[in-house]
Amino acid sequence: ETGVTQTPRHLVMGMTNKKSLKCEQHLGHNAMYWYKQSAKKPLELMFVYNFKEQTENNSVPSRFSPECPNSSHLFLHLHTLQPEDSALYLCAASPGGYDYGYTFGSGTRLTVV
Amino acid sequence: ELKVEQNPLFLSMQEGKNYTIYCNYSTTSDRLYWYRQDPGKSLESLFVLLSNGAVKQEGRLMASLDTKARLSTLHITAAVHDLSATYFCAVDMDQAGTALIFGKGTTLSVSS
């Protein structure tokens, strides 16, 4: 098993659909993150969870709703998205603190039509 | 607001040549991270630099950190095609390891 697993790998959804992205980490880390990677922008931090508690919401629109039911799973619920939300969504996990880098998942390529 | 700037954003190199990628950041931080991303793939951690003057090397890549200048460099020695990828630097948002803020990335293309 890889350290951080994201599903699905690809997702196409209409603007009125509701879908969810899933992230699972097998590393026993305490912190999990959602990042958005668009073609012409740097990786944008969206949400941070430490010990299942959300500690950061980087001014993300409410059409993105995170959920962290336990320290191994992180979801990103999507509804009424816009075409500009099309991007690669990356999940990452870390032990917390600053001594370590993050382990990233392979990402979900989202296309909003 | 923490800003992380990389340059160049695109770099085309010949095999065997040397080059340096620069990463500047706007606020005080003692820690900096370098990642590599291959097309269609996720990000892979390369280096974690945790103090002023830190230098780390792995193969043909060497990273250094100057916290006083708020500058990190990623030096490529005798480039080979396998190094073609996008390289990102990242800095702690608030020095508490809460979250990393990334630069735009440098896309490196090595040709023979």
Side-chain angles (χ1 to χ4, degrees):
Chain A
E1 291 181 330
T2 57
V4 179
T5 304
Q6 288 186 246
T7 54
R9 292 295 303 274
H10 301 273
L11 178 62
V12 179
M13 61 185 290
M15 289 189 283
T16 58
N17 291 159
K18 291 184 179 180
K19 297 286 184 182
S20 296
L21 309 185
K22 179 182 177 182
C23 176
E24 183 175 3
Q25 59 114 345
H26 310 279
L27 302 168
H29 289 341
N30 299 323
M32 297 185 75
Y33 312 81
W34 280 115
Y35 281 86
K36 175 184 178 182
Q37 187 176 30
S38 305
K40 298 182 179 179
K41 292 184 178 180
L43 278 87
E44 300 173 69
L45 175 67
M46 299 179 73
F47 301 104
V48 180
Y49 277 83
N50 271 296
F51 294 98
K52 301 185 299 177
E53 298 297 321
Q54 186 182 125
T55 58
E56 187 71 33
N57 175 338
N58 200 26
S59 301
V60 181
S62 60
R63 57 187 184 268
F64 296 91
S65 175
E67 178 190 3
C68 188
N70 55 61
S71 57
S72 298
H73 293 86
L74 184 64
F75 295 89
L76 188 62
H77 303 301
L78 315 171
H79 65 96
T80 60
L81 294 191
Q82 304 299 312
E84 60 264 29
D85 296 321
S86 299
L88 180 67
Y89 289 85
L90 290 163
C91 174
S94 78
Y98 49 76
D99 290 349
Y100 308 92
Y102 292 0
T103 301
F104 281 86
S106 299
T108 294
R109 174 70 62 185
L110 173 66
T111 303
V112 181
V113 297
Chain B
E1 179 188 353
L2 172 59
K3 292 184 179 180
V4 182
E5 295 185 352
Q6 289 182 237
N7 73 84
L9 297 182
F10 298 94
L11 178 55
S12 182
M13 296 179 63
Q14 283 190 320
E15 282 189 330
K17 299 292 186 181
N18 304 330
Y19 209 83
T20 301
I21 299 170
Y22 298 89
C23 175
N24 291 91
Y25 52 96
S26 61
T27 63
T28 303
S29 178
D30 293 335
R31 293 170 289 281
L32 190 132
Y33 307 79
W34 284 97
Y35 288 83
R36 167 180 172 150
Q37 186 178 34
D38 292 297
K41 300 287 182 68
S42 189
L43 278 79
E44 172 191 356
S45 179
L46 290 177
F47 300 110
V48 178
L49 304 170
L50 299 178
S51 62
N52 184 39
V55 177
K56 290 196 174 180
Q57 182 163 5
E58 181 73 33
R60 301 175 186 274
L61 300 177
M62 183 173 71
S64 65
L65 178 61
D66 181 344
T67 59
K68 295 179 181 178
R70 299 178 186 176
L71 170 69
S72 180
T73 61
L74 181 66
H75 187 73
I76 303 155
T77 302
V80 293
H81 180 72
D82 285 351
L83 291 179
S84 297
T86 298
Y87 294 85
F88 294 91
C89 63
V91 179
D92 272 339
M93 190 170 76
D94 61 7
Q95 299 192 61
T98 305
L100 298 184
I101 303 301
F102 285 79
K104 290 185 177 181
T106 297
T107 298
L108 172 64
S109 176
V110 181
S111 58
S112 56

